[in-house]
Amino acid sequence: MITTMLVANRGEIARRIFRTCAELGIATVAVHSDADASAPHVREADAAVRLPGDTPADTYLRGDLIVAAALASGADAVHPGYGFLSENAAFARAVRDAGLVWIGPPPQAVEAMASKTHAKKLMREAGVPLLEPVRPGEAAASDLPLLVKAAAGGGGRGMRVVRELAALDGEIAAARAETASAFGDGEVFVEPYVERGRHVEVQILADGHGTVWTLGTRDCSLQRRHQKVVEEAPAPGLGAGLRESLHRWAADAARAVDYRGAGTVEFLVAGADAEDGAGAADSPDGAELRAYFLEMNTRLQVEHPVTECVHGVDLVALQVRVAEGEPLDPEGPPPARGHAVEARLYAEDPARGWQPQTGTLHRLDVPGADTAGGRGVRMDGGLRLDSGVADGDVVGVHYDPMLAKVIAWAPT
């Protein structure tokens, strides 16, 4: 049984995990950079360990310092949250090698899905439909438009839409440079670009006893600069046939890498004008829809609260349960009920192209919101606020500009 958990993260996800730990009777340890010395997640933890420096490279990305902090503080488990080291197989191994419980999937599963090109190969073998890559030297005008994507990482880094063949080589070079700088890996690949495609994902949870849960769908198509802004569950307008297929493919993907814990399998859903391929199903109005595997995120997602609200579960508590070796109910998760929408709140300036902004946050108030959310309970007609900041906090230059998430649930 886990007694003390260190969260290798900051902001709203650290606070979110701490709330579940408090309910489970698990003591909490925060880590913090110098810039975060007085941050809410530090104040709310039972103990805190300083990581000297301000930048992520000096602090939250230093796996060696975080493992040392866990050992020094008496923690017996580490939860990575999302971002930073959450999908770093070497960090997961270091945590395990130190005799600590890793609240995440096996390192080999993280590695298997870390490269999108390798993940596509595995999914092809598992029978999961996907967009086949295009060899840049063999691309023709009939293949346009094309999408250049980074093999590693996410957040839209290294992503380029190409509508003219003459621009392909230059966009590949630019994408390689960007992804090498962001992720230390310059590998990119090219695939067909689907116009008006929807980003639909399936939440999965797997235990060590052969059970894989699929907890419905989420639609994350409302994005800016290839980064999600608004998410909802369940994804509307898919039709029962396609929903069932997405669930089956997501479970197949999890089993293909012997997955454990929480993860998300992401798909591109397109209309009848999409590229030919497997995965056809009927939408409610009879129009043909097709789904293609995009990637698998081997961690908890930012948008996990909408799934919690619809299914009435606490995904963090379930992560802990799986990490402790307990089985999931083989009959499956609680059935979905109602609809949930999440909106991310950012410190950005719309007059300057939505660029991140810094300064003092004087007031953050969402009237009627449950700020102790995260228990996974349904909030009949209510609002949940997952926040990483409080009144008077300084928003600095070192971290993501997302401040909080507002989640609403209703019966329809």
Side-chain angles (χ1 to χ4, degrees), residues 54-339:
D54 291 319
T55 68
D58 291 334
T59 55
Y60 299 107
L61 291 174
R62 286 286 302 274
D64 56 335
L65 297 182
I66 292 172
V67 170
L71 295 173
S73 62
D76 49 16
V78 173
H79 194 305
Y82 46 69
F84 295 131
L85 295 170
S86 63
E87 293 180 282
N88 187 304
F91 178 59
R93 283 199 178 91
V95 170
R96 287 183 161 194
D97 290 346
L100 303 166
V101 177
W102 169 247
I103 312 293
Q108 58 268 28
V110 177
E111 285 177 331
M113 290 298 186
S115 166
K116 295 182 180 66
T117 51
H118 182 59
K120 282 176 174 285
K121 177 178 181 294
L122 290 174
M123 295 304 98
R124 186 182 299 108
E125 294 171 352
V128 180
L130 48 83
L131 290 167
E132 293 295 338
V134 175
R135 295 179 182 274
E138 299 175 5
S142 59
D143 295 319
L144 296 172
L146 294 169
L147 182 65
V148 181
K149 294 182 70 175
R157 298 290 185 90
M159 193 175 289
R160 301 283 195 283
V161 177
V162 179
R163 300 187 183 277
E164 298 180 1
L165 279 181
L168 181 58
D169 289 343
E171 295 289 16
I172 289 174
R176 282 175 175 159
E178 182 180 7
T179 188
S181 173
F183 310 120
D185 184 344
E187 182 186 0
V188 300
F189 63 96
V190 180
E191 66 182 18
Y193 178 66
V194 177
E195 303 277 10
R196 298 178 299 281
R198 289 173 57 192
H199 182 118
V200 175
E201 58 192 32
V202 178
Q203 174 72 55
I204 64 102
L205 192 73
D207 64 18
H209 305 272
T211 298
V212 178
W213 281 4
T214 54
L215 293 100
T217 57
R218 297 188 288 251
D219 192 302
C220 308
S221 303
L222 288 175
Q223 302 184 10
R224 183 178 63 247
R225 296 191 297 271
H226 304 294
Q227 292 185 320
K228 301 168 188 174
V229 178
V230 175
E231 304 100 348
E232 59 180 311
L238 295 182
L242 183 54
R243 282 199 305 272
E244 291 172 4
S245 295
L246 291 171
H247 291 173
R248 183 178 71 254
W249 294 326
D252 289 345
R255 291 191 175 98
V257 295
D258 196 23
Y259 201 79
R260 301 286 186 276
T264 297
V265 184
E266 302 190 344
F267 296 91
L268 178 68
V269 174
D273 59 347
E275 299 287 334
D276 289 339
D282 288 334
S283 67
D285 61 3
E288 186 181 74
L289 296 176
R290 293 182 180 274
Y292 306 94
F293 171 82
L294 283 176
E295 62 181 302
M296 183 175 185
N297 292 130
T298 55
R299 52 172 168 80
L300 200 64
Q301 295 271 88
V302 176
E303 57 271 22
H304 76 274
V306 291
T307 297
E308 293 186 318
C309 292
V310 168
H311 283 272
V313 298
D314 183 332
L315 287 173
V316 174
L318 288 168
Q319 283 185 296
V320 173
R321 177 179 171 184
V322 167
E324 290 179 331
E326 293 187 35
L328 298 171
D329 185 344
E331 296 299 316
R337 184 173 74 89
H339 201 88

